[in-house]
């Protein structure tokens, strides 16, 4: 076998030797031909018919060799069921293997748990009333040369501890999905949640669109971008941190309502609610404002959560209308400090008294944001709209029509986490340019020209109708509806630190 065994475990070496033995018998462990599947395990279990001949394919999850008969368990994308082999009935799908030698493939243990197989046979029920396939023909479809984690089951044959190391589960999601059935359910639910939102928006007549991921100027939010370089154009490009400015261009262009499930990228910290790439739904509707968007959001969230929230998980009420409270009133309620007339230096003193991080680089907006996140956010379990943010915190938002120095903005907090952020969108190009220039002072940028999307300002100069916009964090919404505390649990392939060399 040569150097292929370098750094392999004993089990991996053994399986590679079995691979060679199978090839010597003339068995191709990775055949190219289509394998005809006539049904699924779920369909068999729902519509069982005694003595029906069926053909299915899947992964071998258990195997017990008992002399002239053997029992196993096969798993396809719909479930698991028992299979039964006997020396008298078994045929292999290989002309060179005689019937009397077919069962020896199992006796010699050349077939392993984890192998992907095809089986044809007749359905029956055992004395324990378990639906089983009496296998008459067997085909090896893919040899597994790395062993699966040992599957542990309770007395009801339910997996309870198969692959539990958190880091390894995220890093090797393919194994996690094989041995932990509940993990697959999370991602099936995620897909259904997104589809339900899409149907809700489509029914309103809004158009799903796609906007650029590679951008010459990252805009629509304050965040450190990932940078790359385009060789042909000879310019730096950035992975988008938000798609907001492009969707607004479409409203300017004449679309009434547009939305996008946007994959965004931010070169910042990682923790249980932050991943460098994440999914946001952004929606923009012309001739609406943030009051309308609050009402619309109530209907959307109630529709989604009532469908996907488990009945027994009733500690969160989605009864409408949701509570509404201004961010400054919330801070006063939970800290005792009234920030309404405070300047930047006074805010720094408040942060120090509350033991909240602050430094000279932080703007007034950032200081207020830190106070709210540290002292207030966790208190809102039922859906709550935090409204009327100070104008410094909202450079893309219209000034409040009634309240001085505030903006028409809300965030939706559920279970102590921000789920959505929405505005009455600023459509005054002169005010927008001034506020973006002010924002640049606190961003890690070189010059104003490099920091501001001048084409967006040019687009605004052609006129954007009054517009309401919202961004909903899909990952956090899925966390809420699957009761997961970490964003890594709801991402198929979360970002991980590099694996240590030599670690399997």
């Amino acid at each position: 076998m040569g150097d292929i065994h370098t750094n392999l475990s004993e089990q991996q070496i053994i399986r590679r030797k079995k691979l060679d033995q199978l090839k010597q018998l003339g068995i191709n462990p990775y055949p190219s031909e289509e394998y005809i599947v006539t049904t699924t395990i779920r369909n068999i279990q729902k519509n069982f018919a005694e003595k029906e001949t069926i053909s299915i394919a899947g992964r071998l999850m258990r195997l017990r060799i008992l002399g002239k008969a053997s029992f196993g368990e096969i798993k396809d994308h719909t479930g698991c069921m028992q299979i039964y082999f006997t020396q008298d009935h078994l045929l292999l799908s290989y002309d060179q293997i005689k019937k009397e030698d077919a069962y020896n493939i199992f006796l010699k243990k050349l077939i392993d748990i984890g192998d992907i197989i095809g089986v044809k046979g007749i359905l029956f029920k055992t004395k324990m009333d378990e639906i089983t396939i009496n296998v008459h023909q067997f085909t090896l479809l893919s040899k597994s040369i790395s062993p699966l984690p040992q599957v542990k089951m309770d007395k009801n044959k339910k997996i309870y501890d198969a692959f539990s190391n958190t880091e390894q589960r995220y890093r090797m999601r393919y194994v996690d999905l094989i041995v932990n059935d509940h993990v697959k359910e999370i991602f099936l639910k995620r897909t259904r949640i997104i589809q339900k939102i899409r149907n809700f928006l489509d029914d309103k007549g809004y158009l799903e669109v796609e906007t650029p991921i590679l951008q010459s100027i990252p805009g629509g939010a304050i965040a450190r971008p990932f940078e790359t370089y385009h060789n042909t154009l000879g310019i730096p490009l950035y992975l988008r941190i938000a798609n907001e400015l492009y969707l607004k261009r479409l409203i300017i262009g004449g679309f009434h309502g547009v939305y996008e499930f946007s994959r965004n990228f931010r070169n910042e910290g990682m923790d249980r609610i932050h991943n460098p790439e994440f999914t946001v739904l952004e929606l923009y509707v012309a001739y609406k404002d943030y009051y309308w968007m609050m009402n619309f959001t109530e209907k959307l969230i109630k529709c989604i959560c009532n469908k996907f929230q488990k009945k027994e998980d009733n500690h969160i009420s989605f009864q409408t209308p949701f509570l509404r409270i201004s961010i400054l009133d919330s801070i006063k309620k939970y800290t005792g400090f009234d920030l309404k007339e405070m300047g930047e230096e006074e805010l720094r003193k408040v942060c120090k008294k509350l033991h909240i991080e602050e430094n000279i680089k932080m703007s007034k907006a950032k200081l207020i944001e830190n106070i709210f996140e540290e002292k207030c956010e966790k208190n809102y379990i039922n859906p709550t709209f935090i409204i009327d943010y100070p104008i410094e915190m909202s450079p893309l938002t219209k000034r409040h029509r009634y309240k001085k120095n505030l903006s028409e903005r809300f965030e939706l907090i559920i279970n102590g986490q921000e789920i959505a952020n929405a505005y009455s969108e600023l459509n005054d190009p002169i005010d927008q340019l001034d506020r973006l220039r002010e924002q640049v002072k606190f961003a890690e940028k070189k010059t104003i020209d490099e920091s501001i999307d001048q084409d967006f300002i040019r687009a605004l100069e052609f006129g954007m109708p009054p517009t309401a916009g919202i961004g909903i964090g899909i990952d956090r919404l899925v966390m809420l509806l699957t009761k997961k505390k970490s964003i890594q649990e709801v991402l198929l392939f979360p970002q991980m630190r590099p694996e240590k060399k030599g670690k399997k």
Side-chain angles (χ1 to χ4, degrees):
M1 297 288 287
D3 294 336
I4 196 170
H5 289 165
T6 303
N7 296 325
L8 297 179
S9 69
E10 181 181 359
Q11 279 296 314
Q12 287 174 316
I13 293 171
I14 290 171
R15 289 198 178 206
R16 279 163 171 76
K17 289 180 178 178
K18 293 179 181 181
L19 190 68
D20 285 346
Q21 289 178 268
L22 288 167
K23 291 178 180 178
Q24 289 168 11
L25 290 170
I27 295 175
N28 181 359
Y30 306 104
S32 302
E33 296 82 3
E34 176 189 10
Y35 186 83
I36 302 299
V37 173
T38 62
T39 187
T40 65
I41 289 173
R42 180 180 298 156
N43 188 54
I44 291 170
Q45 292 167 340
K46 286 185 175 180
N47 305 289
F48 171 73
E50 188 84 33
K51 296 184 178 180
E52 180 184 5
T53 299
I54 56 90
S55 173
I56 63 170
R59 192 178 296 273
L60 187 64
M61 299 301 292
R62 285 193 301 117
L63 182 61
R64 283 183 64 206
I65 299 172
L66 306 170
K68 294 183 179 182
S70 298
F71 284 91
E73 185 173 68
I74 189 172
K75 178 180 183 180
D76 71 1
H77 65 286
T78 68
C80 293
M81 72 175 300
Q82 184 166 264
I83 52 179
Y84 174 66
F85 307 87
T86 65
Q87 188 171 1
D88 294 336
H89 290 149
L90 185 64
L91 283 173
L92 295 188
S93 300
Y94 310 100
D95 294 337
Q96 70 276 23
I97 306 296
K98 297 178 181 178
K99 180 177 179 181
E100 56 267 26
D101 295 329
Y103 194 72
N104 288 334
I105 300 295
F106 292 90
L107 293 179
K108 292 177 180 178
K109 299 183 179 178
L110 298 183
I111 303 300
D112 292 298
I113 290 174
D115 290 354
I116 296 174
I117 61 174
V119 296
K120 296 179 182 178
I122 297 174
L123 295 177
F124 73 101
K125 282 189 177 181
T126 65
K127 292 180 180 179
M128 301 299 293
D129 204 35
E130 183 170 359
I131 297 174
T132 305
I133 304 172
N134 185 350
V135 178
H136 288 185
Q137 192 168 11
F138 172 95
T139 307
L140 177 62
L141 300 176
S142 182
K143 181 66 180 170
S144 170
I145 57 175
S146 279
L148 292 174
Q150 184 176 359
V151 178
K152 301 176 184 178
M153 297 186 179
D154 61 20
K155 61 183 179 181
N156 296 317
K157 296 184 180 180
K158 291 185 178 180
I159 296 173
Y160 67 92
D161 184 17
F163 189 49
S164 58
N165 181 280
T166 301
E167 180 181 344
Q168 288 300 94
R169 285 183 52 238
Y170 299 159
R171 194 180 299 282
M172 301 169 65
R173 184 67 85 188
Y174 38 91
V175 177
D176 194 24
L177 290 165
I178 292 170
V179 299
N180 290 324
D181 288 340
H182 68 279
V183 173
K184 186 177 180 181
E185 290 303 314
I186 294 171
F187 296 103
L188 290 174
K189 190 171 188 178
R190 179 186 175 109
T191 297
R192 290 194 291 266
I193 290 169
I194 291 173
Q195 190 60 54
K196 182 69 175 178
I197 296 172
R198 179 176 279 114
N199 291 342
F200 187 94
L201 298 178
D202 288 347
D203 287 346
K204 302 296 181 184
Y206 305 140
L207 178 70
E208 183 173 9
V209 298
E210 294 178 306
T211 62
I213 293 176
L214 283 176
Q215 302 180 354
S216 57
I217 296 177
I222 302 174
R224 183 183 295 113
F226 288 95
E227 184 175 349
T228 186
Y229 188 82
H230 194 289
N231 292 327
T232 301
L233 294 177
I235 60 171
L237 291 174
Y238 306 88
L239 294 180
R240 69 179 169 204
I241 56 176
N243 60 342
E244 176 171 345
L245 303 189
Y246 282 93
L247 292 176
K248 289 180 181 178
R249 285 173 168 92
L250 297 178
I251 296 296
I252 293 167
F255 287 106
H256 173 67
V258 292
Y259 72 93
E260 181 178 16
F261 289 94
S262 172
R263 196 71 168 177
N264 295 344
F265 307 83
R266 299 186 183 180
N267 194 358
E268 298 180 336
M270 294 170 55
D271 56 36
R272 70 176 188 85
I273 59 172
H274 294 96
N275 192 68
E277 54 180 307
F278 56 96
T279 302
V280 175
L281 164 72
E282 295 230 10
L283 165 71
Y284 293 82
V285 183
Y287 307 110
K288 306 297 182 183
D289 62 11
Y290 88 135
Y291 291 112
W292 176 89
M293 186 60 82
M294 273 188 268
N295 295 331
F296 181 86
T297 303
E298 285 179 342
K299 295 173 185 175
L300 172 60
I301 294 297
K302 185 176 180 180
C303 171
I304 301 303
C305 293
N306 282 349
K307 179 172 179 61
F308 293 103
Q309 185 191 36
K310 294 181 179 179
K311 292 182 180 180
E312 62 270 20
D313 180 26
N314 56 6
H315 72 286
I316 299 176
S317 170
F318 291 93
Q319 184 66 39
T320 56
F322 298 162
L323 174 68
R324 304 180 185 190
I325 182 172
S326 78
I327 186 171
L328 297 182
D329 286 344
S330 176
I331 289 173
K332 184 177 181 180
K333 177 179 179 179
Y334 288 106
T335 70
F337 289 98
D338 189 344
L339 310 186
K340 290 179 182 176
E341 303 299 327
M342 283 190 185
E344 192 172 310
E345 289 308 311
E346 291 176 289
L347 280 172
R348 295 188 188 282
K349 292 177 183 178
V350 170
C351 286
K352 290 176 181 177
K353 289 178 182 178
L354 295 173
H355 307 289
I356 293 172
E357 179 187 2
E358 62 87 25
N359 61 58
I360 195 64
K361 292 183 179 181
M362 290 183 181
S363 64
K364 181 178 178 181
K366 183 62 177 174
L367 295 172
I368 295 172
E369 180 183 337
N370 286 355
I371 293 171
F372 177 77
E373 289 180 353
E374 289 287 329
K375 299 298 181 180
C376 307
E377 196 171 58
K378 61 187 176 184
N379 296 293
Y380 297 104
I381 304 303
N382 288 334
T384 303
F385 290 122
I386 305 299
I387 64 173
D388 301 346
Y389 283 65
I391 200 72
E392 299 89 345
M393 300 180 71
S394 311
L396 296 167
T397 313
K398 276 193 172 182
R399 299 174 187 273
H400 204 287
R401 68 196 76 174
Y402 305 124
K403 302 173 184 178
K404 185 179 178 182
N405 298 325
L406 299 180
S407 64
E408 295 192 351
R409 172 186 174 188
F410 71 80
E411 287 190 358
L412 175 63
I413 311 296
I414 308 177
N415 203 29
Q417 287 187 13
E418 175 198 343
I419 299 295
N421 187 20
Y423 314 146
S424 290
E425 300 294 339
L426 181 57
N427 60 346
D428 178 340
I430 296 173
D431 189 14
Q432 181 66 90
L433 182 57
D434 289 341
R435 285 161 68 179
L436 289 176
R437 283 172 172 163
E438 184 68 21
Q439 184 187 49
V440 168
K441 296 178 182 179
F442 300 98
E444 297 179 8
K445 301 287 185 181
K446 294 179 181 179
T447 68
I448 287 177
D449 288 340
E450 292 175 331
S451 306
I452 295 176
D453 188 337
Q454 296 289 349
D455 180 69
F456 173 64
I457 300 299
R458 179 171 60 185
L460 281 180
E461 291 174 352
F462 284 91
M464 183 174 83
T467 299
I470 189 169
I472 298 176
I474 295 298
D475 306 314
R476 293 185 185 180
L477 183 61
V478 175
M479 286 171 62
L480 173 70
L481 295 175
T482 56
K483 300 177 67 176
K484 299 303 174 186
K485 296 182 179 180
S486 169
I487 193 172
Q488 288 81 11
E489 291 280 1
V490 300
L491 299 175
L492 278 169
F493 300 104
Q495 189 62 48
M496 304 291 293
R497 295 184 185 278
E499 194 169 9
K500 293 179 181 179
K501 290 183 179 181
K503 189 176 181 181
K504 294 290 182 181

